[in-house]
C-alpha cells in the first residue's frame, strides 16, 4: 500500500471512529517537494475580451517559490497533468453542472501550498486546447496572487460584489500567457465574508461561467481552519481540491477542515511537498469513479 493510500485509509478509519468528519473521497495525486475530455463543446459565444493584458513575470514567480525550479519543471508539469485531467473531464462532461467549473483550492492550515497549486494548475490547464482558465484571488485577507501578479489594490472581486451595477468582465485581466486570465481580490473592507456569501456572489459566478462555456475558474483561498471566507467558498465551488502538506499537517486538522465541506461536494486531495519521489498517482473509487483514466503524456 502506498504512502497516499495509507494516509487515506487512516483518515477514513479515524473519521468512522469519531463520526465527526468525512474522509476524502478521492486523491488526485502526490506532488513531490522540489514533484478528457472526449466531448467536443460548440463555441456558444465569442469569448469576452479583457480590456487589459498583464505580463506575468515567470522569473519572479520562480524566485518566490511559486513555480518549480527549472530542473524540476518537467516532473512537476507531469504531476499537474495528472491532477488536472479528472477536473477537466468533470468540468466538461456532457450535462455537467456549471458548478463543476468552479474549483477551489483549500487547505486546513496556512502554507500548505494552495497558491502554489492554484498557479501551477492554472498554467497547466491553460495549455489545454478547449479551456480558458480564470484564476480568482479569493484569498481576500491575504491576496497573494494579486500581489504576485502586480495587481494588488486594483479593482477586483470584492468591488464587483459591492457594486451590484458593475460587470465582472470589466475587472477580469488577460495575461500574456495564452488562455490564462486573472480576477484580482479587489479592495478589502471588513465585510468580505458576507460579500462572498451573498446572493450577488452566486450571480457573479454564474455570469462568469455562463458567459464563456470554456471557462474553468480556479479559486485561491485562505486556510479553512482560520477564516470564514474559505468556509463560505466551499459552499459555492463545485469541486474542492484539498491541499495537504505531507508530513506537516496533522490528520485531525485535515479531518476538521473536511468537516466544513458539504457531504455531497466533490472533494479531492493533493498530498503536497511529499518526499516520496515516485511519479504522481491517481486514485479512483473513493466515491467518484467517473473520471477518465489519465491520458498518456500528451506533452501539455
Ligand atoms: N510542491 C511544492 N514544492 C516546493 N515548494 C512548495 C510546494 N508547494 C508549496 N511550496 C512552497 O511552500 C510555501 C507555501 O506555499 P503557498 O504559498 O502556496 O501556501 P498557501 O497554502 O497558499 O499558504 P497561505 O495559506 O499562507 O496562503 C511557498 O513558499 C511555496 O514556495
Ligand atoms: Mg496562499
Amino acid at each position: 500500500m502506498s504512502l497516499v493510500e495509507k494516509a487515506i485509509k487512516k483518515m477514513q478509519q479515524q473519521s468512522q471512529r469519531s463520526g465527526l468528519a468525512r474522509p476524502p473521497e478521492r486523491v488526485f495525486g502526490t506532488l513531490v517537494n522540489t514533484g478528457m475530455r472526449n466531448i467536443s463543446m460548440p463555441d456558444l459565444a465569442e469569448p469576452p475580451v479583457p480590456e487589459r493584458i498583464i505580463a506575468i513575470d515567470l522569473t519572479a514567480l520562480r524566485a518566490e517559490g511559486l513555480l518549480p525550479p527549472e530542473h524540476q519543471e518537467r516532473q512537476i508539469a507531469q504531476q499537474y497533468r495528472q491532477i488536472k485531467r479528472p477536473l477537466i473531464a468533470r468540468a466538461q462532461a456532457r450535462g455537467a453542472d456549471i458548478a463543476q467549473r468552479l474549483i477551489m483550492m483549500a487547505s486546513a492550515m496556512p502554507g500548505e501550498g494552495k497558491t502554489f497549486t492554484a498557479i501551477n494548475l492554472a498554467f497547466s490547464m491553460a495549455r489545454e486546447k478547449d479551456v480558458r482558465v480564470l484564476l480568482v484571488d479569493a484569498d481576500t485577507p491575504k491576496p497573494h496572487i494579486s500581489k504576485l501578479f502586480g495587481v494588488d489594490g486594483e479593482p477586483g472581486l470584492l468591488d464587483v460584489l459591492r457594486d451590484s451595477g458593475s460587470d465582472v468582465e470589466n475587472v477580469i485581466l488577460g495575461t500574456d500567457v495564452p488562455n490564462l486570465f486573472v480576477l484580482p481580490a479587489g479592495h478589502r473592507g471588513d465585510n468580505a465574508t458576507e460579500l462572498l456569501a451573498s446572493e450577488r456572489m452566486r450571480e457573479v459566478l454564474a455570469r462568469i461561467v455562463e458567459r464563456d462555456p470554456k471557462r474553468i475558474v480556479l479559486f485561491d483561498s485562505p486556510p479553512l481552519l482560520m477564516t470564514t471566507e474559505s468556509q463560505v467558498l466551499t459552499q459555492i465551488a463545485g469541486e474542492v481540491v484539498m491541499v495537504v502538506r505531507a508530513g506537516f499537517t496533522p490528520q485531525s486538522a485535515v479531518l476538521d477542515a473536511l468537516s466544513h465541506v458539504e457531504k455531497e461536494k466533490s472533494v479531492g486531495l493533493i498530498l503536497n511537498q511529499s518526499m516520496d519521489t515516485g511519479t504522481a498517482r491517481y486514485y479512483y473509487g473513493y466515491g467518484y469513479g467517473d473520471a477518465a483514466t489519465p491520458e498518456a503524456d500528451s506533452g501539455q
Side-chain angles (χ1 to χ4, degrees), residues 114-115 139 142 144 220-221:
K114 296 178 294 300
T115 304
D139 187 350
K142 214 183 72 181
H144 199 179
D220 190 20
S221 74

Side-chain angles (χ1 to χ4, degrees), residues 198-226:
S198 65
E199 197 46 44
R200 169 80 178 145
M201 172 74 168
R202 289 177 192 273
E203 260 173 49
V204 167
L205 293 180
R207 177 169 162 83
I208 284 175
V209 282
E210 280 164 12
R211 179 65 185 79
D212 181 359
K214 291 186 177 175
R215 249 183 197 156
I216 292 185
V217 186
L218 300 183
F219 296 92
D220 190 20
S221 74
L224 266 170
L225 297 186
M226 304 191 71

Side-chain angles (χ1 to χ4, degrees), residues 6-168:
K6 274 187 205 147
I8 291 299
K9 201 161 173 87
K10 246 184 172 174
M11 283 162 67
Q12 285 172 329
Q13 284 163 349
Q14 195 170 333
S15 142
Q16 272 160 13
R17 272 201 303 276
S18 66
L20 285 176
R22 58 208 287 287
E25 287 131 351
R26 186 184 57 253
V27 178
F28 285 121
T30 306
L31 196 60
V32 299
N33 188 17
T34 317
M36 170 177 71
R37 81 172 248 159
N38 297 322
I39 303 150
S40 66
M41 194 179 280
D43 248 335
L44 298 177
E46 282 299 307
V49 180
E51 284 173 13
R52 223 177 101 208
I53 308 284
I54 56 166
I56 295 184
D57 186 345
L58 299 178
T59 312
L61 281 182
R62 193 166 283 124
E64 292 280 334
L66 274 305
L67 286 181
E70 274 171 34
H71 70 277
Q72 284 192 323
E73 245 173 10
R74 279 177 67 89
Q75 184 186 19
I76 297 265
Q78 174 58 19
Q79 293 176 340
Y80 275 101
R81 238 170 251 142
Q82 297 196 339
I83 290 165
K84 75 180 167 181
R85 295 224 177 276
L87 291 168
I88 293 176
R90 277 195 299 283
Q92 297 184 334
R94 197 186 294 273
D97 192 315
I98 57 171
Q100 291 299 126
R101 290 194 275 136
L102 303 175
I103 305 172
M104 172 190 180
M105 307 307 128
S107 74
M109 324 257 279
E112 298 209 57
K114 296 178 294 300
T115 304
F116 184 97
T117 303
I119 289 176
N120 284 276
L121 194 55
F123 279 121
S124 185
M125 281 189 173
R127 288 191 203 106
E128 294 283 320
K129 196 162 64 69
D130 287 322
V131 173
R132 276 183 284 269
V133 181
L134 176 60
L135 183 55
V136 177
D137 190 354
D139 187 350
T140 55
K142 214 183 72 181
H144 199 179
I145 289 202
S146 306
K147 281 205 183 89
L148 290 165
F149 288 5
V151 293
D152 192 22
E154 298 213 10
L157 177 64
L158 292 175
D159 303 281
V160 172
L161 296 178
R162 256 179 227 115
D163 178 359
S164 59
S166 59
D167 182 356
V168 66

